[in-house]
Amino acid sequence: MAPKMAKHKKEGGGSNVFSMFDQSQIQEFKEAFTIMDQNRDGFIDKADLRDTFAALGRLNVKNEELEEMIKEAPGAINFTVFLTMFGEKLKGTDPEEIILNAFRVFDREGKGSVKADYMKEMLTTQADRFTEEEVKQTFTAFPPDAAGNLDYKNLVYVITHGEEKD
């Protein structure tokens, strides 16, 4: 195992992928890896990806699509390679900027706010749909202003920093 580690370090420019994440993040990635490693052989392969998609309800995944995913890795996908791939995908991304960009899609006028009614409609009808209770909790924690606008810049700040701006 030591020669593999030395070779990996050389390829990675001398940086340790485990230093990119804190211990709780590494544990979450390990849990995700374990879920995806359906046959429990320590590697994620095309069959594991197909089984993972099936478990998520997507049954008709094309071989080409699976092959493209596997090709993203420099070799067999063990946990270290898996973690490295996520590190490379996440490197240089600012979570605050990513979330702001998601809200900007709904802010056609670029004001830094969106109509609360419109946001409620989007939250309850798109993607991972919010329940009425979840919408109520969201608007209780981040109430719209008197004009019915939701200040998403402040919301994003609180999400990413854990406290309101002064």
Side-chain angles (χ1 to χ4, degrees):
M1 185 170 225
K4 254 187 177 176
M5 293 279 282
K7 182 181 175 192
H8 180 72
K9 266 191 147 183
K10 184 179 177 189
E11 290 171 2
S15 66
N16 181 353
V17 67
F18 291 93
S19 68
M20 295 176 65
F21 303 103
D22 65 37
Q23 203 56 44
S24 65
Q25 290 172 310
I26 292 171
Q27 185 58 39
E28 288 178 23
F29 282 122
K30 185 66 175 170
E31 289 171 18
F33 180 86
T34 301
I35 289 168
M36 293 177 73
D37 182 19
Q38 297 277 311
N39 61 10
R40 304 291 185 251
D41 66 353
F43 296 90
I44 295 174
D45 58 20
K46 202 161 62 168
D48 291 324
L49 288 177
R50 184 177 303 286
D51 291 344
T52 300
F53 275 115
L56 295 170
R58 188 164 166 216
L59 303 175
N60 299 323
V61 182
K62 294 180 180 164
N63 270 330
E64 298 79 29
E65 189 176 354
L66 296 173
E67 287 167 10
E68 283 298 314
M69 289 178 188
I70 294 295
K71 279 188 213 172
E72 288 186 37
I77 305 173
N78 63 15
F79 180 65
T80 303
V81 171
F82 181 79
L83 194 60
T84 301
M85 290 171 69
F86 270 95
E88 289 170 358
K89 295 271 186 202
L90 296 173
K91 192 188 319 182
T93 58
D94 179 2
E96 186 171 2
E97 193 61 29
I98 290 170
I99 299 169
L100 279 170
N101 286 337
F103 276 103
R104 285 183 185 122
V105 169
F106 302 107
D107 182 13
R108 294 186 179 121
E109 297 170 15
K111 293 180 176 179
S113 63
V114 292
K115 289 286 185 195
D117 290 343
Y118 180 65
M119 187 52 59
K120 178 182 178 182
E121 179 186 340
M122 292 295 106
L123 290 171
T124 57
T125 63
Q126 305 296 315
D128 291 332
R129 297 179 177 138
F130 277 40
T131 64
E132 284 296 323
E133 182 60 28
E134 290 169 325
V135 170
K136 182 179 174 189
Q137 289 173 354
T138 301
F139 288 140
T140 298
F142 302 99
D145 64 19
N149 294 312
L150 183 67
D151 175 5
Y152 68 80
K153 288 183 177 182
N154 188 47
L155 170 63
V156 171
Y157 186 87
V158 172
I159 290 169
T160 57
H161 295 90
E163 55 192 44
E164 288 195 46
K165 289 182 185 179
D166 292 332

